[in-house]
Amino acid sequence: KQTEQYQTLKDYQGNIAKIRHDHNNFCIGVLYAIESGNTSEAINQIKKECDVNHIDAEYAGNLIHTVVDIKKQTALDLGIEIDFEYRELQKLLIPSVDMSIILGNAIDNAIEATHKLSDTSKKRIRLFVALKNDTVIITIKNPTISEIDPNNLTTEKEDRENHGFGIISMKQIAAKYNGEVLF
């Protein structure tokens, strides 16, 4: 019985750590919805996050620019450039919070990997986002200090209990829209 309670507590702590991890990117999405005048989307997303009701996908507009601009500033502060190219985003039908979590986590991971480089001339991230038919394609290319195993990506941070949820979140959201995340 005690072992079951310990496992339940451990599972709850893992869920809390994941929520904390995605909180900042969630807030970016909700703030964007509010600032763009779509308060009903923001309210519905907050309700959904609190498990109050379900929300259908809505037009995301220029959210991608908002996320990229915020992340670009973080990157610049670390001496990293982000090249951003996009196509056909006006028809994007993924809610701003989901898109913010996917894109925010992907850029955060690229910034973290690129920041480890000692050669400042290589500190450049290339980001491409496009809508082809009904498929959102996000491509991020960034340098790394060593070879990585794309099938075994784990956090390199010391506090593993509170980190390492970004890829999991991205995969869960992609799966929600019948998509996938590839490395």
Side-chain angles (χ1 to χ4, degrees):
K1 188 99 173 148
Q2 208 171 23
T3 303
E4 289 174 1
Q5 288 175 333
Y6 175 76
Q7 185 59 47
T8 301
L9 180 59
K10 190 175 176 181
D11 292 345
Y12 280 119
Q13 286 176 332
N15 288 336
I16 290 168
K18 181 182 177 300
I19 290 166
R20 282 187 191 137
H21 183 271
D22 285 342
H23 179 74
N24 187 47
N25 294 320
F26 175 85
C27 289
I28 291 169
V30 171
L31 286 172
Y32 168 78
I34 292 167
E35 289 179 353
S36 66
N38 196 347
T39 54
S40 63
E41 178 187 353
I43 291 167
N44 288 334
Q45 289 295 344
I46 292 168
K47 286 179 179 179
K48 181 179 177 184
E49 188 67 20
C50 297
D51 203 17
V52 175
N53 63 2
H54 177 71
I55 297 176
D56 294 325
E58 293 185 38
Y59 180 72
N62 290 318
L63 168 73
I64 292 170
H65 292 283
T66 303
V67 173
V68 171
D69 285 347
I70 290 168
K71 300 299 180 178
K72 238 182 193 183
Q73 188 55 55
T74 301
L76 287 174
D77 292 345
L78 297 171
I80 301 168
E81 292 184 42
I82 297 180
D83 297 328
F84 173 50
E85 183 182 342
Y86 64 92
R87 290 193 197 131
E88 302 296 325
L89 299 182
Q90 66 275 12
K91 298 176 188 170
L92 187 62
L93 295 174
I94 294 177
S96 60
V97 171
D98 286 348
M99 185 53 99
S100 181
I101 290 172
I102 288 176
L103 194 56
N105 278 310
I107 296 171
D108 287 345
N109 288 349
I111 290 171
E112 183 178 334
T114 304
H115 180 60
K116 294 176 183 176
L117 296 172
S118 56
D119 185 350
T120 57
S121 69
K122 293 183 179 179
K123 290 189 174 191
R124 177 169 293 212
I125 297 168
R126 289 180 176 31
L127 170 63
F128 175 74
V129 183
L131 187 64
K132 185 174 182 180
N133 299 322
D134 289 334
T135 303
V136 178
I137 300 167
I138 301 171
T139 304
I140 298 180
K141 294 183 179 185
N142 62 276
T144 60
I145 57 172
S146 61
E147 289 292 318
I148 59 168
D149 178 1
N151 299 314
N152 188 26
L153 297 172
T154 59
T155 186
E156 294 178 1
K157 294 178 181 166
E158 287 184 32
D159 182 9
R160 291 177 182 254
E161 282 190 31
N162 294 306
H163 296 284
F165 301 107
I167 292 171
I168 294 167
S169 295
M170 291 187 301
K171 286 181 176 182
Q172 286 174 340
I173 291 170
K176 182 165 109 176
Y177 299 101
N178 298 315
E180 61 185 335
V181 177
L182 304 172
F183 298 93

